[in-house]
Structure formats: C-alpha cells, structure tokens
Amino acid sequence: MAQIVSIHSFRGGTGKSNTTANLAVSLARRGYRVAVVDTDIQSPGVHVLFRLGEGQIERTLNDYLWGDCEIEEAAYDLTQSVIGSVGANDERPRIFLVPASIDSNEIGRVLKEGYDVGVLNDGFKRLIRQLNLDYLLIDTHPGVNEETLLSIVVSDKLVLVMRPDSQDFQGTAVTLELARRLEVADTLLVINKIPPGMDRDTLQQKVETAYDAKVVALLPLNHEIVHLASNGIFANRYPDHPFTLELQNVVNALIQ
C-alpha cells in the first residue's frame, strides 16, 4: 500500500525542499515508484532542484486545481534524467514530479482566491492510483495554514525539518503539537544545517527530550551542500557524503 509523506517546516530556509528532493531520489534508488508534489504554491521551487526548466513545463499543479487537467497530466517522469540507467519500460524505479506554477499571475491567483484543499487531497489519491506509486512525497508550504494542515492530516507520516536554532525550536514545537492533535500516525524529526563543531549527540538528546519524539537524521551544513542547494540533487553528486548517508536513516524509517 502506498504511503503519503508530508515534508514540512515551521519556517522557510530550513532546507525542506532540498531534503524532499534528495529523499525522493534516495527512495527511488531503493527501487520504488516515487512522486513529489510541490504544494508550496506561493513560492514553488522543487522543479529547480530536479532541473526541470520552464520550457519543459506545460502543465502544473495549478492547472489541476483550476480544473484544466487531471493531476497525472501534470506529472513529469524524471527517471532517466535523475536516476539514469533505467529501461524506458521498466516499472521500477520511477520518479515523478508535479510542479507548481512559477507564473506570477498564477501565484497571485492562489494568494487572492485560495484553492479547494479537498480537490488537492483527491488529487493525491488519484495520483497514487494512476502512477501506481509506492510513495507520494508532499513538499508543503512553511508555517501553519489550513491547506498545509489538511495535507498533513491525510499523510501516513510527517517529516519535520528544523534547524538547530531557538526560533526553529519554538516553531517546531507548535507544529508537532498540532500534528499530535490531528492524530498524525507517525512524525519523524530531521535536524538540518548542523554547523561544524556542534555536539550532535547532545543536540539529538536535547531535541528528543524537549519534543518526546525521535530524531531520525542529523544533516550537516557544509560548503558542498550550500553550493549545490539549488543546482541539482546532492545525493546524485555525492553518494558517499555524510549528508547522503545520514539521509538514508530517513529512508529506513519510511520503509519500516
């Protein structure tokens, strides 16, 4: 049975989208059919990480939400460009992306009119059926709003990405409490952008004690990640890097 996984953060700039993209690739490399949906409609950007250019995008999530297409028509099969060495007709692995529109008029329309979250959630279910997915990853909009909360509710697992600073500590506590009230089945904590020299064991113990939740990955901050953050999938470039290896702990937690 397919799993829906929301990747969320209380604030922007945590590396949520970068984590989502790399997590999707890592799952696909394990042999799964994976799709990413960019629901950060107000500030979309996952397509940049997958190097899907504007000229390649004909349909987006926005088109589905406005009733102009089915959601699978906005799903781009990026298996060959991202994974490579996979037969065109092979069922697995596959990786798909449903991007949000970067057109300013479309973004303005969302900000002004909003959208029917029920339609979005129906789209998730249809995408799973039509693409025969094993995992559907939802890259959410940072913060707390109705659309994000309703997307989290339909998820089997929630991955909360945070940075090791006081603002993220407070914001993540709020998000985690809301997730518990919404009875999200399983919440996983990922601490990202850990600076060199910080005691990782102490940090993990502090977070787990404060939140009564498990930290599944501690992702380091370094110059390679900063340089490549918006220039492709890091896991493809550095498969043996501590960031990539630590990310496998998240993958393991999802496939258990």
Side-chain angles (χ1 to χ4, degrees):
M1 177 181 261
Q3 284 196 46
I4 300 177
V5 181
S6 285
I7 296 88
H8 185 62
S9 63
F10 185 77
R11 298 166 61 211
T14 61
K16 170 181 58 66
S17 295
N18 187 39
T19 300
T20 301
N22 282 280
L23 184 57
V25 171
S26 297
L27 280 166
R29 288 191 177 279
R30 295 279 191 102
Y32 295 105
R33 292 178 67 90
V34 184
V36 175
V37 180
D38 188 355
T39 66
D40 191 358
I41 301 177
Q42 299 176 24
S43 51
V46 178
H47 63 281
V48 176
L49 295 165
F50 283 99
R51 294 188 173 182
L52 185 63
E54 291 182 53
Q56 298 172 272
I57 301 175
E58 297 180 1
R59 293 289 194 180
T60 66
L61 179 64
N62 304 62
D63 293 306
Y64 165 70
L65 293 174
W66 308 141
D68 296 328
C69 72
E70 296 292 353
I71 192 167
E72 67 270 17
E73 296 176 55
Y76 296 82
D77 188 340
L78 303 179
T79 309
Q80 295 300 318
S81 61
V82 176
I83 304 296
S85 66
V86 178
N89 297 319
D90 289 350
E91 284 292 315
R92 285 174 174 77
R94 309 304 302 181
I95 186 164
F96 304 89
L97 172 65
V98 178
S101 176
I102 58 173
D103 182 89
S104 59
N105 292 322
E106 287 292 327
I107 295 173
R109 182 179 178 184
V110 170
L111 292 173
K112 181 178 180 181
E113 302 178 18
Y115 60 89
D116 187 337
V117 180
V119 171
L120 179 60
N121 290 338
D122 289 342
F124 294 154
K125 297 173 186 176
R126 180 180 175 90
L127 200 62
I128 289 171
R129 291 195 307 271
Q130 295 298 316
L131 299 183
N132 191 27
L133 297 177
D134 299 306
Y135 290 92
L136 174 63
L137 305 188
I138 304 171
D139 185 30
T140 66
H141 183 67
V144 177
N145 56 47
E146 181 183 6
E147 292 84 357
T148 295
L149 290 177
L150 289 175
S151 293
I152 289 175
V153 165
V154 302
S155 300
D156 300 294
K157 292 185 179 179
L158 170 64
V159 177
L160 280 178
V161 183
M162 61 176 291
R163 291 174 298 189
D165 63 49
S166 57
Q167 287 181 306
D168 267 18
F169 268 84
Q170 293 180 0
T172 301
V174 172
T175 308
L176 188 57
E177 177 61 26
L178 286 170
R180 285 170 174 159
R181 291 184 183 183
L182 294 170
E183 299 182 347
V184 175
D186 197 3
T187 301
L188 311 173
L189 294 178
V190 173
I191 307 176
N192 194 20
K193 298 186 177 181
I194 300 174
M198 180 171 282
D199 190 315
R200 293 159 59 89
D201 291 336
T202 299
L203 175 63
Q204 180 172 355
Q205 184 178 12
K206 177 182 178 181
V207 172
E208 291 184 338
T209 300
Y211 297 150
D212 190 24
K214 183 173 179 56
V215 173
V216 295
L218 298 102
L219 305 177
L221 171 67
N222 60 44
H223 68 279
E224 292 103 335
I225 294 175
V226 172
H227 176 68
L228 289 175
S230 295
N231 190 29
I233 307 299
F234 189 87
N236 276 353
R237 303 282 190 90
Y238 297 91
D240 298 321
H241 191 278
F243 175 94
T244 307
L245 297 176
E246 188 71 20
L247 196 67
Q248 300 309 308
N249 292 328
V250 188
V251 174
N252 292 337
L254 293 180
I255 65 178
Q256 285 179 351

